Amino acid sequence: MYTFLQKMWNKVLQKIDTIPFIQYQQDLAYQAAVKNHIINLPILAKSDLDLVEKIKYEGVVITSLEELGVPSTPDILAAAKNLITKIPPNTSVKKNEFVIHASSQQIMEHPAMFSWGLEQRLLDIVENYLGLPVAYNGVYFRRDIANKIVQGSRLWHIDREDRKILKIIIYLNDTNEYTGPFQYIPQDLTLEIVKALKYTSGYIHEQKMREFVSPENYKSCTGSAGTVIFAATGSIFHRGKLPIISDRFAIFFDYSSRRQKKRFHMANSLQNHNLSMLSQNIPKHKKQYIYY
């Protein structure tokens, strides 16, 4: 009930934000916050700065675990390998269910998975993209089922909880056009469609989307196991394409700004008591990304 009420409150706030005067005041406050934070942005290596610029321009950057070279990657791969065996196969899926998430308990059994999202280099990249202090909203380990269910995140949508949201996605198995790749519409086209639809939030069915853009403009993020996607899901229409021939395993890391999270309900992937247990082994300076 508590989560339901918070989600309803989010919808009320989103409606309020469409009022021109309120929207104008929010824009001014946001722009001031970004301007004031510029001097505090972490300094990036040129390769990471280029990555951020590509995200800002296109909305998505595709790389790999090998290219990123994050020190704790072997730990997360070992955890993922173990978790894959514990996520039930599609024979146990309930009616109308198209994705199975690892439980909080399963994530707690593999703390390296949560901690990977707190690697300082990744946080610095995210902060430079957001332009504001980072809120780490946690990690989601998911198995997307190869079935014919088209609903929820399999429909076109933009994440609207914050002005900018960044997700880092790791594919755990080879992913092609037939195994449920992350799919998006480039930012320039997204802006045109948002205006044409007068879009504020919610899901758009494929038939409706084709009235405004040709499927030839859809971009599918394919790649082998270990592919990493940086996706600005608050700025692009995106969806998980329907997997046809096999299930897709992936890990999602979710980031927003602290400024917006104070206003909207943006729940962490783990409950507070689990976060408290995990944070005992997290360096003090990194706890600010979870608590503030």
Side-chain angles (χ1 to χ4, degrees):
M1 175 62 73
Y2 182 60
T3 301
F4 172 76
L5 291 175
Q6 288 181 316
K7 288 182 178 180
M8 292 301 295
W9 177 241
N10 282 356
K11 290 183 178 180
V12 170
L13 288 175
Q14 288 171 350
K15 289 293 184 182
I16 292 174
D17 284 349
T18 62
I19 300 172
F21 176 76
I22 299 296
Q23 192 174 54
Y24 176 71
Q25 294 298 321
Q26 288 287 341
D27 287 344
L28 289 179
Y30 169 74
Q31 291 166 12
V34 170
K35 182 179 179 180
N36 291 336
H37 192 66
I38 287 176
I39 60 173
N40 299 316
L41 289 175
I43 297 174
L44 298 181
K46 186 179 184 305
S47 59
D48 289 347
L49 188 59
D50 289 344
L51 187 150
V52 171
E53 291 305 313
K54 289 178 182 177
I55 297 172
K56 289 179 178 179
Y57 177 75
E58 174 72 10
V60 167
V61 168
I62 303 175
T63 180
S64 68
L65 289 172
E66 184 178 4
E67 289 179 3
L68 282 176
V70 174
S72 61
T73 291
D75 297 328
I76 195 176
L77 289 177
K81 183 178 180 181
N82 185 277
L83 259 181
I84 284 175
T85 65
K86 297 181 179 180
I87 303 297
N90 55 15
T91 54
S92 65
V93 174
K94 298 177 183 178
K95 185 179 180 180
N96 293 328
E97 189 172 37
F98 63 92
V99 61
I100 303 173
H101 288 93
S103 67
S104 296
Q105 182 57 42
Q106 288 172 323
I107 296 296
M108 290 294 295
E109 291 170 0
H110 301 87
M113 190 163 293
F114 184 87
S115 297
W116 191 89
L118 284 168
E119 284 278 0
Q120 194 61 52
R121 182 180 166 205
L122 297 175
L123 292 169
D124 290 349
I125 289 171
V126 175
E127 186 166 347
N128 271 269
Y129 168 71
L130 296 177
L132 291 168
V134 177
Y136 176 41
N137 302 316
V139 58
Y140 299 86
F141 183 102
R142 53 187 289 164
R143 178 176 189 162
D144 286 84
I145 307 302
N147 57 25
K148 297 181 180 180
I149 297 172
V150 182
Q151 61 185 25
S153 60
R154 289 183 175 178
L155 298 172
W156 293 107
H157 63 286
I158 301 174
D159 296 336
R160 287 303 205 189
E161 293 85 357
D162 201 350
R163 290 171 181 268
K164 286 186 175 182
I165 293 175
L166 192 65
K167 291 184 179 177
I168 302 176
I169 306 166
I170 302 176
Y171 287 160
L172 299 174
N173 55 334
D174 295 349
T175 304
N176 58 37
E177 289 287 355
Y178 306 100
T179 52
F182 177 86
Q183 197 171 52
Y184 71 99
I185 297 173
Q187 279 191 134
D188 55 347
L189 282 175
T190 288
L191 287 172
E192 292 179 12
I193 298 166
V194 166
K195 291 178 181 178
L197 279 171
K198 297 182 179 179
Y199 178 86
T200 54
S201 63
Y203 295 108
I204 307 296
H205 287 266
E206 172 67 5
Q207 184 177 1
K208 185 68 175 178
M209 186 59 78
R210 290 192 181 205
E211 294 178 12
F212 298 91
V213 61
S214 167
E216 294 178 358
N217 292 298
Y218 300 168
K219 304 288 186 180
S220 293
C221 299
T222 60
S224 59
T227 293
V228 178
I229 302 161
F230 287 80
T233 59
S235 305
I236 51 172
F237 274 113
H238 62 280
R239 67 178 180 180
K241 190 177 181 183
L242 191 74
I244 299 173
I245 62 175
S246 66
D247 298 353
R248 184 200 69 184
F249 286 91
I251 312 173
F252 284 65
F253 299 86
D254 191 347
Y255 305 89
S256 65
S257 72
R258 299 176 198 173
R259 178 180 178 274
Q260 196 72 3
K261 191 174 180 183
K262 291 178 181 178
R263 187 160 174 266
F264 283 90
H265 168 59
M266 298 181 70
N268 199 289
S269 61
L270 296 173
Q271 296 180 354
N272 287 337
H273 68 278
N274 289 328
L275 289 174
S276 296
M277 292 177 64
L278 281 175
S279 65
Q280 294 175 11
N281 298 315
I282 293 174
K284 185 177 180 179
H285 71 280
K286 289 190 177 180
K287 292 181 182 180
Q288 64 180 315
Y289 296 97
I290 306 170
Y291 307 106
Y292 36 86

